[in-house]
Amino acid sequence: MIAHLPALQVIIPLVSAPLCALLPAGRAVWLAAMAASWLAFLIAVLLLDQVLAHGPISYLMGGWPVPWGIEYRVDVLNAYVLLIVATIGAVVMSFGRIIVERRIRLPESKQSWFYTAYLLCLTGLLGITITGDAFNVFVFLEISSLSSYVLISIGRDRRALTASYQYLIMGTIGATFILIGIGLLYVMTGTLNMADLAARIPAVADTRTVRAAFAFLTIGVSLKLALFPLHLWLPNAYAYAPSVVTALLAATATKVAVYVLLRFFFTIFGAKFSFETMQLDKILLPLALVGIFSASVVAIFQSNVKRMLAYSSVAQIGYMILGISLVSVTGLTAGIVHLFNHALMKGALFMALGCVSFRVGAARLDRMAGVGRVMPWTMGAFVIGGLSLIGVPLTAGFVSKWYLIVGAMEKGWWPVAVLVLVTSLLAVIYIWRVVEVAYFKPVPEGQAVREAPLALLIPTWALALANLYFGLDPSLNAGVARHAAEMLLGVGQ
Amino acid sequence: MRILGLYNYWIFIILMMCGFYVVISSGNLIKKLVGLNIFQTSVFILYISMGKIIGGTAPIVIDKAVVYSNPLPHVLILTAIVVGIATTSLGLALVVRIHEAYGTIEEDEIHAQDQEDAL
């Protein structure tokens, strides 16, 4: 059983997905989906534990030897990303039932399909992360993308439909670019296995085909991870999707795309080719900085709080890319640890917003007057998530900002460090706008708003407390991230 | 002559650019999907032509054959074709729903309606 954990990680949600479609709507289907997502979480914990104790795991699908068969390869980096995805998948699922029953525009007979799409999305994300085969990445990418288009389109607002359509177009272009890149690599090397590709690319690295493959992969993955200026699909998709879906996607989908970026540029092409020959950092760094700055400024002017946090996500992705483009152990650690921390903070924030819109009816700023007093627990979680987003000491967000600034200082890049601090202040402004309205504006007359139900509050607070825990004891998130960064750069082993 | 000999790759590039142009320039949601399809199909041609070896036979072990075409890219692209069908059908389903909600499938008219809602 233990030997098959890598396969089970993907197969359990994959098989549970059609199973959920067969169950009647209500508690039963939710419990089945819960069982699947918490099992996936348990497996991710066991995998990370095994990898930390015994080193990378290689699992051969169907017993076919590499490079002919598909290999699932789990090392520190993807065990860590698996844990993030599975944790968020399970916590958000716990949060999901009431929202699905009362807040989603689906007739009761179709509600089971929500869980099918959710589990397929989770399958895709876990699959992208665990596989050691480049073409398999594309297949799982499409599984997760197609199901996320469905999930976004069931938002209450009709703009959810156009947002989903827009994402479909952009996402398909991105995925097709990745497909072209993988195809060109296959032409040159005759293999799809990632480790095998890494071994064979250096011999043919100085050809136009490999450079074209590199370019296609860069653009394709950047579209998927919503790197500025390829982020245009993201704000609407996050703003109009149901809150459960936004919490899942914001905390996992872009993180997995960042993981794909790391895997392709560091493991397959190698840091030397990506950053010395192709000089990718010279493109990523300015884009990351402009993205952080402009998205933070735009976030300040949003009246829809969900949309505000979506723009903030674009900025946070910028921080991760900034860390990566420093190409040093500290910089990479910052990027990778921010994957983890951003999943926690955005998960908590979007779930808290889900609680608010569950009671108030919408996540608009003008509807949130005084909710801090009538929904103290919900807004408490929101404030903790917000503090973590800003990067206040004792929260998880501080850990990532710390590594990022140290990484920039190591290179002597003072302006970059200053910009990180300034944009953190921009985050203070947009979080403060919500806090001000929620706590200092009077509750409108005749508005009977109560605290959100416990079924929503418990998962929200679980993530909010995780933000505090990992701020006080960063040995898991930062420790493992450092380990992964050293592995990617091939130092310190 | 070498350039002409690579005609399959030229077709791939021309189709890809045509499809891409339609996706970007067209304001009609159905036409955008048509463009997306052409774009995806061009990649199928890329994959299929790279598996072809001149003089190679089908990959079946028989006595006389020495050179075989590579079946792997063909199998891979079968998967991508399935993905393409799923994307198209989902896209069309979304267009149907958009038409129900907005009464139009022209991007600028949808945008105008959204602007009115925002006011």
Side-chain angles (χ1 to χ4, degrees):
Chain A
M1 199 61 183
I2 292 290
H4 291 293
L5 283 180
L8 289 172
Q9 176 82 85
V10 176
I11 287 174
I12 286 178
L14 181 65
V15 174
S16 315
L19 204 69
C20 284
L22 298 175
L23 291 171
R27 191 179 282 273
V29 63
W30 177 69
L31 283 177
M34 277 288 274
S37 42
W38 281 100
L39 264 177
F41 167 73
L42 186 71
I43 293 170
V45 171
L46 290 175
L47 277 177
L48 181 64
D49 186 55
Q50 259 190 39
V51 168
L52 287 178
H54 307 294
I57 304 169
S58 169
Y59 180 86
L60 305 177
M61 262 295 164
W64 292 90
V66 282
W68 295 283
I70 291 170
E71 181 196 17
Y72 277 12
R73 197 176 164 76
V74 192
D75 58 21
V76 183
L77 176 65
N78 57 0
Y80 182 73
V81 179
L82 283 175
L83 182 67
I84 299 171
V85 174
T87 309
I88 298 293
V91 173
V92 175
M93 178 61 87
S94 322
F95 176 85
R97 189 170 73 97
I98 302 183
I99 304 270
V100 173
E101 280 173 9
R102 308 226 195 118
R103 293 277 309 165
I104 284 180
R105 200 171 57 179
L106 273 183
E108 204 188 318
S109 59
K110 300 245 173 73
Q111 279 174 8
S112 303
W113 290 93
F114 171 86
Y115 298 102
T116 306
Y118 185 101
L119 287 175
L120 280 178
C121 188
L122 198 60
T123 307
L125 294 170
L126 292 169
I128 298 169
T129 315
I130 203 169
T131 188
D133 183 277
F135 192 79
N136 219 219
V137 169
F138 165 75
V139 175
F140 278 121
L141 188 73
E142 284 294 24
I143 293 178
S144 71
S145 304
L146 285 166
S147 44
S148 55
Y149 308 145
V150 175
L151 287 172
I152 290 167
S153 73
I154 55 181
R156 288 170 81 87
D157 197 302
R158 66 177 178 176
R159 277 170 291 185
L161 297 169
T162 41
S164 170
Y165 180 87
Q166 204 185 9
Y167 184 21
L168 181 133
I169 298 285
M170 302 275 262
T172 306
I173 291 173
T176 310
F177 269 44
I178 294 173
L179 185 62
I180 296 172
I182 293 170
L184 294 179
L185 284 184
Y186 179 75
V187 171
M188 293 310 288
T189 59
T191 182
L192 290 166
N193 183 283
M194 288 180 182
D196 215 24
L197 274 172
R200 293 192 197 185
I201 283 179
V204 290
D206 198 25
T207 56
R208 194 176 292 159
T209 315
V210 169
R211 285 197 291 262
F214 185 84
F216 274 115
L217 285 168
T218 308
I219 306 286
V221 178
S222 302
L223 252 170
K224 277 288 172 194
L225 64 81
L227 176 67
F228 180 90
L230 301 173
H231 66 281
L232 294 171
W233 57 268
L234 188 144
N236 279 343
Y238 283 12
Y240 301 121
S243 51
V244 195
V245 177
T246 313
L248 175 75
L249 293 182
T252 57
T254 45
K255 312 294 161 305
V256 170
V258 173
Y259 160 79
V260 174
L261 184 102
L262 287 170
R263 192 50 96 199
F264 272 107
F265 293 157
F266 286 90
T267 310
I268 295 183
F269 286 106
K272 195 164 174 302
F273 178 78
S274 305
F275 299 100
E276 282 175 32
T277 318
M278 300 301 284
Q279 308 221 335
L280 186 67
D281 49 333
K282 298 219 167 48
I283 305 169
L284 289 185
L285 183 75
L287 288 183
L289 291 177
V290 176
I292 295 171
F293 194 75
S294 61
S296 300
V297 171
V298 174
I300 294 175
F301 296 100
Q302 298 301 317
S303 58
N304 181 329
V305 185
K306 249 168 130 179
R307 215 176 143 82
M308 177 195 96
L309 289 180
Y311 274 107
S312 146
S313 275
V314 177
Q316 302 297 317
I317 290 157
Y319 287 122
M320 291 169 214
I321 301 298
L322 176 62
I324 293 168
S325 62
L326 293 174
V327 207
S328 64
V329 172
T330 319
L332 264 183
T333 308
I336 297 169
V337 80
H338 201 49
L339 282 184
F340 188 98
N341 295 342
H342 182 240
L344 294 181
M345 56 182 89
K346 270 295 152 54
L349 283 169
F350 275 120
M351 278 157 71
L353 268 189
C355 298
V356 171
S357 60
F358 181 75
R359 284 297 190 211
V360 180
R364 293 187 58 84
L365 204 54
D366 49 8
R367 299 284 288 276
M368 287 176 71
V371 290
R373 266 168 285 163
V374 283
M375 303 176 72
W377 287 97
T378 303
M379 285 311 290
F382 186 90
V383 169
I384 293 175
L387 290 176
S388 188
L389 189 73
I390 295 162
V392 174
L394 305 182
T395 61
F398 177 70
V399 179
S400 13
K401 293 271 166 69
W402 173 262
Y403 275 102
L404 206 53
I405 291 173
V406 170
M409 298 288 235
E410 273 176 7
K411 293 231 162 189
W413 293 352
W414 286 90
V416 173
V418 171
L419 203 88
V420 170
L421 288 174
V422 170
T423 48
S424 301
L425 292 178
L426 294 177
V428 175
I429 299 177
Y430 58 72
I431 292 297
W432 174 253
R433 282 182 72 221
V434 181
V435 171
E436 189 188 7
V437 171
Y439 283 96
F440 299 101
K441 287 257 177 83
V443 187
E445 294 270 333
Q447 187 180 346
V449 173
R450 284 174 298 132
E451 181 57 271
L454 271 183
L456 296 182
L457 278 181
I458 292 171
T460 311
W461 267 89
L463 280 193
L465 290 177
N467 271 301
L468 295 178
Y469 176 79
F470 288 109
L472 292 168
D473 176 20
S475 60
L476 176 66
N477 52 354
V480 179
R482 190 168 191 89
H483 203 70
E486 283 169 353
M487 181 203 71
L488 285 178
L489 287 170
V491 292
Q493 287 186 341
Chain B
M1 272 297 106
R2 194 159 158 245
I3 288 180
L4 283 180
L6 298 172
Y7 68 92
N8 45 347
Y9 292 103
W10 285 108
I11 295 176
F12 153 63
I13 292 168
I14 292 167
L15 275 182
M16 179 186 161
M17 285 302 136
C18 289
F20 205 27
Y21 178 76
V22 175
V23 174
I24 294 170
S25 67
S26 176
N28 182 301
L29 300 187
I30 300 270
K31 288 182 186 165
K32 263 185 192 298
L33 281 178
V34 172
L36 200 66
N37 259 297
I38 298 172
F39 179 61
Q40 285 182 306
T41 310
S42 73
V43 184
F44 304 163
I45 294 176
L46 169 73
Y47 267 74
I48 292 168
S49 55
M50 75 199 187
K52 168 72 182 163
I53 290 167
I54 295 170
T57 67
I60 304 164
V61 182
I62 45 170
D63 285 343
K64 278 174 245 163
V66 221
V67 185
Y68 299 104
S69 283
N70 185 353
L72 184 67
H74 300 176
V75 179
L76 293 180
I77 219 58
L78 214 54
T79 315
I81 290 172
V82 175
V83 169
I85 293 170
T87 313
T88 311
S89 46
L90 180 57
L92 288 173
L94 279 174
V95 174
V96 171
R97 291 281 305 279
I98 290 173
H99 189 257
E100 282 170 10
Y102 288 86
T104 175
I105 52 166
E106 292 296 329
E107 213 172 28
D108 43 357
E109 290 171 21
I110 292 169
H111 186 69
Q113 286 191 33
D114 279 344
Q115 292 301 97
E116 274 170 38
D117 286 357
L119 292 176

